[in-house]
Amino acid sequence: MSDDSRPSPHDGPAAARTAAVIPAAGRGVRLGPGAPKALRALGGTPMLIHAVRAMAASRAVSLVVVVAPPDGAAEVKSLLDVHALPERTDFLVVPGGRSRQESVKLGLDALPPGHDIVLVHDAARPLVPVDTVDAVIEAVREGAPAVVPALPLADTVKQVEPAGTPGEPEPVVATPERALLRAVQTPQGFDRATLVRAHETVTGDVTDDAGMVEQLGLTVVAVPGHEEAFKITRPLDLVLAEAVLARRRLNDGF
Ligand code: C5P
């Protein structure tokens, strides 16, 4: 079944239009030296193109805004031009900022009117399946102001008193109950007005957009995430991503 024939809960005339903002302006220093992380190849295709296709795979998404490295907007524009992308989706490229938060804000500022739901998706999560994207959109459509895909943790998590020097032993101060914890992924989905207000109001450092909505005192809900929506941060993550792509190609071949 092609993506176009996939039944979708978002097909009706009343369906709110969804835009996806992809912050892709980070250097990715933990991945080692080289091109900005989003432009590195995965299965021969830049990670960013995988991420853009993952958002555009949802029939609800009619616009994708890519937030490029500040000195790489032209390169990103030409990448989007040369790679096949769905015709039903529009694309915009804007230069990013110094922090992820600033980059997302610049992406939001570039959104034209008419998109009431906004997804924010890390370029560093190129392999998120379309069913996860659709589940996030659906939960926003059902009335949640903010939605995160999330998975239970395999590891027990300890809170420590961070050592001043890397490698020094760190005193453990607490062990949160693992069953109550979730590892949060992207795309995170938002009622557009709520996300805009969060970015105008919250100034402290945050590591995700839903955290800003929490700071407004609003409820954020979690829906099931997917193990293939993992974030590519370290070199080993690239090995895993190549293996996931190889398995997909094998499955598509049959
Ligand atoms: O650094 P981290 O892995 O948390 O970055 C998450 C996402 O935010 C990546 O897709 C990265 O490109 C993006 N980012 C950005 N602008 C920055 C820093 C990170 O768009 N200044």
Side-chain angles (χ1 to χ4, degrees):
M1 188 193 282
S2 78
D3 278 344
D4 280 341
S5 59
R6 183 188 290 270
S8 162
H10 319 299
D11 287 340
R17 296 173 77 208
T18 300
V21 173
I22 303 187
R27 302 273 347 152
V29 282
R30 287 169 291 182
L31 209 50
K37 177 158 69 175
L39 303 184
R40 299 196 193 196
L42 205 59
T45 303
M47 207 183 289
L48 172 64
I49 297 297
H50 288 282
V52 169
R53 285 181 178 153
M55 295 301 101
S58 168
R59 297 195 61 179
V61 173
S62 50
L63 172 67
V64 177
V65 179
V66 177
V67 188
D71 55 355
E75 186 181 351
V76 165
K77 268 197 197 99
S78 48
L79 273 181
L80 292 179
D81 286 341
V82 299
H83 288 89
L85 298 166
E87 272 186 23
R88 62 168 182 266
T89 315
D90 290 330
F91 301 94
L92 267 180
V93 180
V94 297
R98 279 180 306 268
S99 65
R100 181 186 182 283
Q101 207 170 341
E102 205 182 314
S103 293
V104 172
K105 172 83 166 64
L106 290 165
L108 282 178
D109 289 347
L111 278 184
H115 298 86
D116 297 327
I117 295 176
V118 178
L119 303 177
V120 181
H121 181 61
D122 288 335
R125 298 182 189 271
L127 301 180
V128 59
V130 67
D131 288 352
T132 307
V133 181
D134 281 338
V136 169
I137 295 169
E138 188 58 21
V140 181
R141 281 175 50 76
E142 282 169 3
V147 179
V148 296
L151 288 179
L153 297 184
D155 295 326
T156 294
V157 172
K158 302 283 184 193
Q159 185 182 339
V160 298
E161 220 163 75
T165 323
E168 282 289 299
E170 302 174 314
V172 169
V173 294
T175 306
E177 190 183 333
R178 189 173 63 188
L180 300 179
L181 298 175
R182 299 286 180 270
V184 168
Q185 306 175 319
T186 72
Q188 300 188 348
F190 303 89
D191 159 61
R192 176 181 179 168
T194 303
L195 184 60
V196 168
R197 186 153 67 90
H199 272 268
E200 281 166 355
T201 317
V202 179
T203 49
D205 262 0
V206 289
T207 50
D208 75 337
D209 299 275
M212 304 173 85
V213 174
E214 287 164 54
Q215 289 190 42
L216 295 181
L218 297 173
T219 303
V220 175
V221 299
V223 298
H226 196 283
E227 60 179 4
E228 292 181 6
F230 63 94
K231 182 156 88 171
I232 295 182
T233 307
R234 297 179 190 85
L236 191 59
D237 300 323
L238 280 175
V239 177
L240 182 58
E242 294 287 358
V244 170
L245 279 178
R247 189 179 64 184
R248 284 185 187 176
R249 277 197 205 105
L250 207 63
N251 289 344
D252 287 351
F254 288 98

